Amino acid sequence: SILSKNKDYDYIFKIVLVGDTCVGKSCILVRFSDDIFVDNYVTTIGVDFRFKTMIVKNKVAKIQIWDTAGQERYRSITTAYYRGAAAILICCDMTNKESFNNLSNWIEEVSKYIDQDIDKMVLMNKCDLSSERKVDSTDVSKFEKEKGIKVMEVSAKTGQGIDKAFEYIIEKLINKNDKNNKNNMVLQGENNGFKPPCC
Ligand code: GTP
Ligand code: MG
């Protein structure tokens, strides 16, 4: 196909941002894609997306990031966009305890629409406001242990931790992708001599 001839990437991943309204998902998206912070808050209606190309482990990874509306009333629109996601980044706000408590609800919500083995990670945003922090680090450790989901502190405002968080998840996805391909190769090797009926 034209795409494979002109392929300008080694990997392509869809990543979806979810989480309560006002935790900063759209600011995270724009910080990651354009490296800017826009302060005039406009709640997202439905969804928005951006592309960004990253070099991870010497490979070109093209990332398609979908930013969804946090408001409940748009839920029927946003859930349609979970399909095909390689990873879901559940976002909360360090200065808003409720947004942290709601992480469990988000995990439950996305689990209705995506496979269990899809990678999930929490971005705890607004770490520039650490003096107003409302989420205990002991609660964070407890959450990580109980859910088996990593929590990374970020700030869309200063950019702190954003690239690191995305690099972390992309590297994980690349490793998983390569491991799956390797398994396929091993399988093919073991199946030497076997011809599927279609051939
Ligand atoms: P919905 O679209 O309604 O789901 O909200 P959202 O999660 O996309 O929130 P958005 O990115 O629009 O940001 C909400 C508010 O938080 C805005 O006023 C931002 O300026 C502010 N904000 C976002 N990220 C940060 C951050 O890292 N630090 C600080 N101090 N404020 C932030
Ligand atoms: Mg938004």
Side-chain angles (χ1 to χ4, degrees), residues 95-106:
T95 68
N96 175 347
K97 185 75 192 275
E98 205 192 329
S99 73
F100 175 78
N101 293 340
N102 265 337
L103 291 175
S104 300
N105 296 332
W106 280 105

Side-chain angles (χ1 to χ4, degrees), residues 19 33 40 45-46 54 65 75 81 90 112 133 139 141 143 145 153 171 174:
S33 62
N40 50 343
I45 296 169
M54 285 175 85
I65 325 144
R75 207 57 47 84
Y81 292 88
I90 310 169
K112 289 188 214 158
R133 183 181 182 127
D139 288 339
S141 309
F143 173 91
K145 231 168 147 184
E153 292 182 10
E171 189 167 339
I174 287 177

